[in-house]
């Protein structure tokens, strides 16, 4: 009887799944429009009272995108004040929409990778999963891993697209 050999398992390939690196916390939008006077402008006294009384702990562990969805006059300090109240509770906050938040989360995840563990490794960057990974995340991971990897492929270990192979060092005779 012929023994089945799993060549993928024996290949030494290391798979990196970007979606597994991402912070799992809920993504929420804080829209400052709800704090505007007649939907047009921010009144400092009212806003400061709201900020003081609001229960910011409801954002614990979440990832928050801070926006103003109306064409209103909102001073920069108001966003800074929101950030100061969110900071003790949230995982991450950004000024921008949910796409900006997701980009920041992917950047954080990629920045946290310890590249030393991938020194001279044959890497496969997983190409599909449960969470859509934006193209910019794949470009970012290349910048992080190119200096250390011996090869980088895209896809699944059983079906990869070669992306990069470290040039062999030439020895002079």
């Amino acid at each position: 009887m012929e023994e089945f050999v799993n060549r993928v398992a024996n290949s030494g390939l290391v798979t990196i799944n970007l979606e597994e690196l991402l912070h799992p916390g809920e993504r929420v939008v804080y829209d400052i429009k709800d704090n505007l006077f007649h939907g047009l402008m921010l009144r400092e006294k009212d806003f400061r009272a709201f900020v003081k009384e609001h229960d910011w702990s409801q954002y614990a562990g979440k990832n928050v995108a801070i926006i103003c969805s109306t064409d209103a006059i909102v001073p920069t300090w108001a966003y800074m004040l929101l950030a100061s109240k969110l900071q003790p509770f949230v995982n991450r906050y950004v000024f921008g929409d949910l796409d900006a938040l997701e980009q920041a989360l992917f950047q954080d995840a990629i920045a946290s990778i310890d590249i030393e563990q991938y020194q001279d490794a044959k890497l496969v960057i997983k190409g599909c999963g449960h969470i859509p990974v934006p193209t910019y995340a794949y470009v970012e991971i290349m910048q992080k891993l190119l200096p250390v990897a011996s090869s980088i492929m895209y896809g699944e270990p059983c079906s990869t697209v070669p992306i990069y192979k470290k040039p062999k060092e030439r020895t002079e005779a």
Side-chain angles (χ1 to χ4, degrees), residues 1-108:
M1 187 160 131
E2 191 175 326
E3 186 177 326
F4 176 76
V5 177
N6 186 340
R7 292 174 45 205
V8 172
N10 295 334
S11 68
L13 294 175
V14 177
T15 301
I16 298 175
N17 185 348
L18 289 174
E19 71 179 53
E20 289 176 357
L21 301 175
L22 210 52
H23 187 271
E26 183 182 351
R27 280 88 167 125
V28 296
V29 173
Y30 183 91
D31 193 343
I32 204 168
K33 79 169 174 49
D34 299 330
N35 301 110
L36 299 177
F37 179 70
H38 295 298
L40 298 172
M41 64 181 185
L42 194 79
R43 289 176 38 175
E44 182 175 358
K45 183 179 179 183
D46 295 342
F47 184 63
R48 286 190 179 275
F50 165 79
V51 167
K52 186 176 182 181
E53 297 164 9
H54 188 68
D55 177 17
W56 297 102
S57 67
Q58 66 182 296
Y59 298 98
K62 296 180 182 180
N63 299 290
V64 181
I66 304 169
I67 65 166
C68 183
S69 62
T70 63
D71 189 21
I73 300 167
V74 179
T76 303
W77 62 260
Y79 296 108
M80 295 170 69
L81 188 57
L82 287 175
S84 74
K85 294 301 182 181
L86 290 168
Q87 178 74 29
F89 300 104
V90 303
N91 172 64
R92 184 72 154 95
Y93 58 86
V94 298
F95 174 75
D97 60 13
L98 288 172
D99 288 337
L101 177 61
E102 206 64 21
Q103 183 168 353
L105 290 170
F106 271 109
Q107 287 171 334
D108 291 350

Side-chain angles (χ1 to χ4, degrees), residues 126-151:
K126 188 171 166 91
C128 57
H130 300 32
I131 299 170
V133 176
T135 303
Y136 62 76
Y138 291 109
V139 173
E140 285 285 320
I141 193 104
M142 290 300 291
Q143 184 171 0
K144 183 89 172 188
L145 296 174
L146 276 172
V148 296
S150 71
S151 66

Side-chain angles (χ1 to χ4, degrees), residues 123 125 142 146 151-155 160-165:
L123 303 174
I125 309 302
M142 290 300 291
L146 276 172
S151 66
I152 300 176
M153 294 164 272
Y154 170 81
T160 60
V161 177
I163 303 295
Y164 168 78
K165 188 164 185 99

